[in-house]
């Protein structure tokens, strides 16, 4: 799925140029639309913290990156759209599998986008983290 604002081929070029860090985590953009996104964080032993769970910074990165995809799906490729605030509540230990971040933008204005990211382990319905965030959208010329 893609949007009129951001065809898949354009998304891939933007990510390669403006978000090469995504490759470090192995993020997979499964779906995106106008203000929505589903992004997968593949399970990786290098992301495990003591206690045997995916570390918090990796889950935060999943939420932030997924929100970026949803914002671009809504407004098109804007490299300088940036996070201004993000809050994460860790709800439960995820299973030893991929994590899925599902984004819904709650409000999209000219200067700010506010969204929600629900993170769950692949194949599970219960959330392991709930995230809210705000992105700043730069003025367009």
């Amino acid at each position: 799925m893609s949007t009129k604002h951001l065809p898949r081929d354009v998304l891939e070029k933007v990510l390669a140029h403006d978000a090469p860090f995504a490759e470090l985590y192995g993020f997979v953009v499964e779906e995106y639309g106008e203000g929505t996104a589903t992004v997968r964080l593949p399970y990786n032993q290098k992301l495990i913290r003591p206690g045997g769970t995916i570390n918090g910074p990796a889950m935060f990165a999943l939420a932030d990156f997924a929100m970026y995809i949803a914002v671009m799906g809504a407004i098109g490729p804007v490299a300088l759209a940036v996070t201004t605030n993000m809050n994460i509540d860790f709800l439960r230990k995820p299973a030893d599998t991929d994590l899925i971040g599902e984004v819904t933008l709650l409000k999209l204005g000219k200067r700010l986008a506010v969204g929600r990211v629900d993170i769950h382990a692949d194949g599970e319905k219960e959330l392991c983290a709930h995230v809210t965030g705000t992105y700043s959208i730069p003025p367009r010329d």
Side-chain angles (χ1 to χ4, degrees):
M1 175 191 296
S2 65
T3 71
K4 65 182 177 185
H5 297 292
L6 190 65
R8 179 61 84 156
D9 63 326
V10 174
L11 172 66
E12 298 298 331
K13 288 177 187 173
V14 169
L15 293 179
H17 185 266
D18 297 328
F21 63 85
E23 193 175 308
L24 294 172
Y25 289 97
F27 294 135
V28 177
V29 178
E30 294 191 340
E31 295 183 23
Y32 66 99
E34 294 187 33
T36 63
T38 301
V39 177
R40 177 179 297 268
L41 171 61
Y43 185 81
N44 182 334
Q45 283 290 328
K46 291 181 180 180
L47 298 177
I48 303 302
R49 65 171 295 280
T53 188
I54 299 276
N55 68 62
M59 293 171 71
F60 189 93
L62 169 62
D64 192 21
F65 179 76
M67 182 101 164
Y68 180 60
I69 298 299
V71 169
M72 284 197 302
I75 65 172
V78 179
L80 293 178
V82 296
T83 310
T84 59
N85 184 56
M86 194 158 274
N87 297 300
I88 187 166
D89 292 305
F90 298 103
L91 305 174
R92 62 191 292 267
K93 179 181 175 181
D96 297 343
T97 187
D98 296 357
L99 294 184
I100 309 296
E102 297 179 320
V103 182
T104 303
L105 292 186
L106 304 172
K107 179 172 175 58
L108 178 64
K110 290 181 182 181
R111 297 297 307 249
L112 295 175
V114 177
R116 175 185 71 231
V117 185
D118 293 331
I119 299 175
H120 61 88
D122 191 22
E124 294 186 355
K125 291 183 181 182
E126 288 187 62
L127 296 181
C128 55
H130 171 76
V131 184
T132 57
T134 303
Y135 258 69
S136 175
I137 301 167
R140 299 238 179 168
D141 296 331

